[in-house]
Structure formats: C-alpha cells, structure tokens
Amino acid sequence: QAAANHRALAASPNRLTAPQLTPEQYLNLSLSYHRAGKFNECIAAAKEALKLRPNYAEAYNNIAAAYEALEMWEPAIEAAQQALKIRPDFPLARNNLAWSMEQKKKQEEAK
C-alpha cells in the first residue's frame, strides 16, 4: 500500500494534480520514507497527514522519529511533546521524547 502511495505521488510532478491521499496513507508513506532513510520526505509526508488530521498523534511521532534520525533534537522533542498532548498514553512518543531529551543533554554537555 505504501509503495502504491509513493508511486502515485511520484507519478504526478504537480502537487495540485496529485491524487489526494488519506491521513493513514500519508502516515504509511511517511513510515516507508523513514525505513528508506529519507527523513526529510518522512517529515513532509507526516505533515501532509497533519493537514488532513491535525490531531494525529502518530504523524507527530513519525516527525519526532525522523528528526531524531537527523540528530535534530529540539524539533524532535517538540514533535514528541505534541504527540503526547494529543495522546498522553502513547508509549512510543514517550520513548522518543525521553531519547531526544537525553541526546540533547549529551550534545550540550559535549560543547
């Protein structure tokens, strides 16, 4: 399914004519990009999901995970916090928040 979503977006160079995906499809696309190591594309796909479903905790968590992979701790923390505001019982977002905060602290201590 995610590969089909990716092909549909790639086949249309003009975003205005690209087929409209559901929030779930954008989330799946985001996950596929993350697995492929395309973290900026992962973030962009998750943000598309958020345009359609602003309170989509999983999309914020994907953004947090992608920023972690890019070692951009502050935006990772912000995205994980947003996911937890929406869904306080989200263990993966809680883990991502803790990891990003720990890594940011280590980075600051190394300076």
Side-chain angles (χ1 to χ4, degrees):
Q1 177 70 31
N5 295 343
H6 178 68
R7 283 193 301 276
L9 285 176
S12 179
N14 182 347
R15 283 188 62 97
L16 296 177
T17 61
Q20 179 67 46
L21 301 180
T22 66
E24 293 80 8
Q25 289 170 323
Y26 277 119
L27 186 71
N28 287 335
L29 184 60
S30 175
L31 288 167
S32 293
Y33 280 135
H34 193 280
R35 285 188 203 111
K38 297 182 176 185
F39 303 115
N40 289 316
E41 291 88 342
C42 170
I43 293 165
K47 286 182 177 181
E48 289 298 320
L50 288 169
K51 287 180 186 176
L52 299 172
R53 186 181 297 160
N55 288 326
Y56 202 0
E58 290 80 0
Y60 280 110
N61 190 63
N62 277 19
I63 291 169
Y67 278 126
E68 285 177 359
L70 294 169
E71 297 185 4
M72 297 175 68
W73 309 119
E74 195 58 43
I77 290 167
E78 291 170 10
Q81 287 173 331
Q82 191 63 36
L84 289 167
K85 281 182 191 173
I86 296 164
R87 197 172 132 204
D89 63 337
F90 193 176
L92 190 54
R94 191 169 308 284
N95 289 345
N96 282 336
L97 177 60
W99 172 258
S100 293
M101 291 177 76
E102 180 182 327
Q103 295 306 307
K104 180 182 177 199
K105 183 179 177 184
K106 285 181 182 179
Q107 186 179 55
E108 289 171 352
E109 289 171 352
K111 289 182 179 178

